[in-house]
Amino acid sequence: MYRILDVLQQAGDFVSGQEIGNQLSVSRAAVWKGIEKLRQEGYEIEAITNKGYRLIHPETMYNQRELEKGRKAQRMGKTVHFFQETDSTNNRIRELALAGAKEGTLAVAELQTQGRGRRGKPWQSPVGTGVWLSVLLRPNIVPAQASVLTLLGGLAVCEVLQNMTQLQPQIKWPNDIYVGNKKAVGILTEMDCELTEVHFVVMGIGINVNTKEFPEDLQDIATSLYLESGQTYPRKKIVQNIMESLERYYDAFLAAGSFEPFLEQYRKNCMTLGKEVVVYGKEPFVATALDITQEGELLVKRADTGKKEVVYAGEVSIRGVMK
Ligand code: BTN
């Protein structure tokens, strides 16, 4: 059936069932069956009597084959598991990891029924508009270094969105990506480890790409690339570019063994620095965000005591910017 797709893609216009059949040495009935199967996979194929079949919007195709085909990265996204519907791609990658899947294995969903964010919050993952992906990492690092991976994920996504759009996405430490004052991207990194050894890491990335409208409770805090730019973007390209960018950052991090080489770029892209923030821990406190440390933590100056403190994993909100 993919041979039919190749014929349609190459033609770029209508091709009759007869002609496709001739080219592939199959019957017209077989062509029709193949077309139906392609449609079930999400390919939009127009059929007009006396003209034949035509592939519509080939650039928007979003499935396993398309994602694997135009891949630029070596390992990240080499194997793609595509789900029309799943609870959470992080769950799928975790299962695949436990079954021995290779680093770089990628899960992508068209719809997540139980997409989750950090701290047990739900992550809205409707059909057709967003990128919901998880990628498997097997870094040879100690668990304490793993939070840096999340920062690298933020850098990779930020770079891709800066290159693909006219927007100015910025990272809210550690790894949310905002456009303007609203969140467009969230990253949930989950780890399976022992005290001294990381078994594997699942990096889950959610991007509101072509979302035209959010439910009322999210309208003030969430945005999409479409809402900010008025343009739609091919999700396939976004996924492939992120895999390429993430692989580059990840390999450079493993080679360097520290976050130091990325600090300057991270600081430049980080909207949190210089701002007044609220740090939520056991006792929430107000502080000014001063810098990012070599380990990727946030250095702040407390408003109450005037003392400097390093913030590790605590949730930080920027005053005046919705969480
Ligand atoms: C957050 O901002 O709190 C993190 C959101 C992470 C959402 C992504 S979508 C793909 C992957 N699967 C999930 O269930 N969550 C992550």
Side-chain angles (χ1 to χ4, degrees):
M1 110 190 156
Y2 291 122
R3 292 193 304 149
I4 300 178
L5 190 64
D6 292 336
V7 173
L8 292 177
Q9 253 167 350
Q10 263 176 10
D13 201 352
F14 283 100
V15 193
S16 71
Q18 183 71 56
E19 184 166 346
I20 300 173
N22 288 349
Q23 279 194 34
L24 304 177
S25 307
V26 296
S27 68
R28 280 174 67 172
V31 171
W32 183 80
K33 262 194 194 160
I35 296 272
E36 279 311 299
K37 277 202 183 135
L38 288 169
R39 282 180 171 151
Q40 278 161 22
E41 275 203 13
Y43 290 95
E44 282 184 67
I45 298 167
E46 189 181 8
I48 293 190
T49 325
N50 297 330
K51 277 183 146 185
Y53 301 102
R54 185 173 65 147
L55 188 60
I56 309 172
H57 305 308
E59 72 288 354
T60 63
M61 299 305 165
Y62 197 51
N63 54 38
Q64 182 200 6
R65 181 177 194 252
E66 293 298 318
L67 286 165
E68 284 181 353
K69 211 169 59 176
R71 166 176 66 93
K72 296 181 195 156
Q74 294 291 316
R75 302 176 335 277
M76 303 289 164
K78 188 173 177 190
T79 304
V80 180
H81 295 258
F82 192 90
F83 302 90
Q84 286 300 336
E85 178 179 330
T86 192
D87 52 0
S88 159
T89 50
N90 270 31
N91 293 351
R92 295 294 78 74
I93 286 296
R94 184 179 165 75
E95 282 167 7
L96 288 160
L98 291 171
K102 282 203 181 122
E103 174 163 272
T105 300
L106 173 67
V108 177
E110 185 59 87
L111 165 76
Q112 289 188 125
T113 52
Q114 285 172 56
R116 58 177 186 271
R118 290 197 305 270
R119 298 172 173 263
K121 288 186 205 151
W123 179 264
Q124 299 283 339
S125 324
V127 71
T129 56
V131 161
W132 327 125
L133 71 79
S134 302
V135 63
L136 172 60
L137 305 176
R138 294 189 182 276
N140 191 5
I141 57 174
V142 293
Q145 286 178 292
S147 60
V148 166
L149 297 175
T150 265
L151 306 191
L152 295 176
L155 269 180
V157 177
C158 197
E159 176 184 86
V160 168
L161 299 187
Q162 279 169 353
N163 289 339
M164 287 186 73
T165 70
Q166 308 298 315
L167 303 169
Q168 291 188 316
Q170 284 195 299
I171 306 173
K172 178 176 152 286
W173 181 88
N175 58 3
D176 290 337
I177 295 186
Y178 275 61
V179 184
N181 267 354
K182 293 181 185 176
K183 180 163 158 176
V185 179
I187 303 182
L188 174 69
T189 310
E190 295 175 317
M191 170 165 65
D192 188 286
C193 68
E194 287 168 44
L195 268 181
T196 53
E197 193 193 341
V198 173
H199 296 154
F200 61 84
V201 170
V202 180
M203 185 179 290
I205 302 176
I207 309 175
N208 302 323
V209 180
N210 299 325
T211 325
K212 302 229 155 53
E213 202 178 13
F214 286 94
E216 216 176 328
D217 56 325
L218 291 178
Q219 274 172 16
D220 290 341
I221 52 177
T223 193
S224 71
L225 305 181
Y226 171 80
L227 286 174
E228 296 299 321
S229 66
Q231 281 182 40
T232 56
Y233 298 90
R235 292 177 294 166
K236 169 177 74 176
K237 282 270 173 296
I238 293 182
V239 173
Q240 287 170 338
N241 289 346
I242 288 175
M243 290 301 105
E244 192 264 329
S245 181
L246 182 65
E247 183 169 284
R248 195 165 11 88
Y249 282 112
Y250 179 68
D251 286 350
F253 164 68
L254 292 182
S258 95
F259 188 62
E260 209 270 333
F262 312 97
L263 260 179
E264 248 342 280
Q265 196 192 341
Y266 191 90
R267 286 186 182 121
K268 253 192 234 151
N269 287 312
C270 181
M271 67 191 281
T272 315
L273 298 181
K275 303 255 170 62
E276 193 166 76
V277 296
V278 181
V279 181
Y280 298 94
K282 266 188 233 148
E283 303 266 320
F285 63 88
V286 176
T288 307
L290 298 179
D291 201 4
I292 306 294
T293 70
Q294 302 240 344
E295 282 72 41
E297 306 123 343
L298 186 68
L299 182 69
V300 301
K301 187 175 171 196
R302 291 183 71 121
D304 50 1
T305 60
K307 283 196 180 141
K308 289 185 184 173
E309 221 173 86
V310 165
V311 180
Y312 300 92
E315 182 89 58
V316 167
S317 77
I318 302 175
R319 283 202 145 178
V321 176
M322 308 300 283
K323 262 218 286 178

